[in-house]
Amino acid sequence: DESALAKGGGSLRRLRSWFGPDDDVAGSHDDVYKVRRKIVMSDLPIWSRQDLIKQTVAANKVTLLQGETGSGKTTQVAAYILEMVEALKSEAAYPVPRGASGPPCRIICTQPRRIAAITVAKRVAEELGEVVGEGVVGYKVRGVSVCGPKCKILFCTTGVLLRRLSQEGQNDMFSPKTVTHLIVDEVHERNCETDFMLTFVR
């Protein structure tokens, strides 16, 4: 499968998925994931804007989301995107081959600090009625990886993602095998790592 191969060091190497199932491996496709929230945060200000957020993300390569502290940006947006992607799959909006689950969904949410990445991952998993690392939500911080084979939403520090991006070729930094949706949280906290990340996104 040439689409799964990438040049590295003068030879061809197989581009492996960062997290979640390997989409070109037989038997790796699951049924369409049904997002069933155990905790519905309808009292958050962002709740009434979720349809607008989904439409904007679907229609644009880059979306800038601004809101007050406590509005729900950090904990809700990743789940909204997952709901959007899985809804499109279930509606057969994509030409999905028999036995496949459609285009992959790999959402990465960066946090400037490791404690934030861990805490938010646990909270999002709890809202989805899961244990972090056992379902669709996981996290990776320096020296620790809590990420299962069904993971679709990965929280990590900006530094962890930058190190992984640097290992991939220019054409593979953002792809179905690596990142389909990237959420850079706390982007207003300008530091060297965030600036490098914005350069990659650009």
Side-chain angles (χ1 to χ4, degrees):
D1 184 358
E2 293 182 357
S3 64
L5 297 176
K7 285 189 176 181
S11 61
L12 289 176
R13 62 179 176 83
R14 192 169 192 80
L15 181 61
R16 300 190 61 184
S17 303
W18 282 10
F19 59 95
D22 226 349
D23 298 286
D24 53 3
V25 175
S28 66
H29 295 286
D30 298 323
D31 293 333
V32 174
Y33 176 76
K34 303 295 183 183
V35 181
R36 296 185 177 92
R37 289 176 174 268
K38 181 180 179 182
I39 302 174
V40 179
M41 304 299 292
S42 57
D43 58 333
L44 291 174
I46 200 173
W47 178 262
S48 61
R49 301 296 183 92
Q50 61 174 304
D51 289 338
L52 175 60
I53 292 171
K54 293 174 183 178
Q55 293 167 7
T56 304
V57 170
N60 298 275
K61 287 187 176 181
V62 179
T63 299
L64 178 61
L65 182 62
Q66 182 178 3
E68 297 293 332
T69 299
S71 60
K73 303 184 302 299
T74 298
T75 58
Q76 304 301 306
V77 173
Y80 291 166
I81 293 175
L82 179 59
E83 290 172 349
M84 174 191 71
V85 173
E86 298 303 327
L88 289 173
K89 291 181 184 180
S90 64
E91 293 169 3
Y94 296 103
V96 181
R98 184 179 181 85
S101 59
C105 181
R106 305 186 199 281
I107 305 168
I108 288 188
C109 309
T110 66
Q111 293 290 330
R113 289 168 290 276
R114 59 181 289 152
I115 187 62
I118 296 171
T119 302
V120 176
K122 290 181 177 179
R123 176 59 187 177
V124 173
E126 180 184 6
E127 290 184 8
L128 295 177
E130 300 180 347
V131 176
V132 67
E134 296 182 4
V136 298
V137 183
Y139 67 84
K140 290 188 178 184
V141 296
R142 186 175 179 180
V144 179
S145 179
V146 180
C147 178
K150 297 180 180 181
C151 185
K152 296 177 182 290
I153 302 176
L154 181 71
F155 290 87
C156 66
T157 57
T158 307
V160 165
L161 181 57
L162 282 174
R163 281 189 289 273
R164 186 57 193 259
L165 286 175
S166 67
Q167 298 173 12
E168 305 294 349
Q170 184 68 34
N171 295 330
D172 301 316
M173 286 184 177
F174 300 98
S175 71
K177 284 283 185 178
T178 54
V179 187
T180 59
H181 300 82
L182 174 62
I183 301 173
V184 183
D185 199 9
E186 307 294 355
V187 71
H188 63 281
E189 294 188 13
R190 300 297 297 275
N191 54 42
C192 290
E193 290 185 341
T194 300
D195 286 347
F196 274 121
M197 177 59 62
L198 295 178
T199 301
F200 281 128
V201 172
R202 180 179 177 185

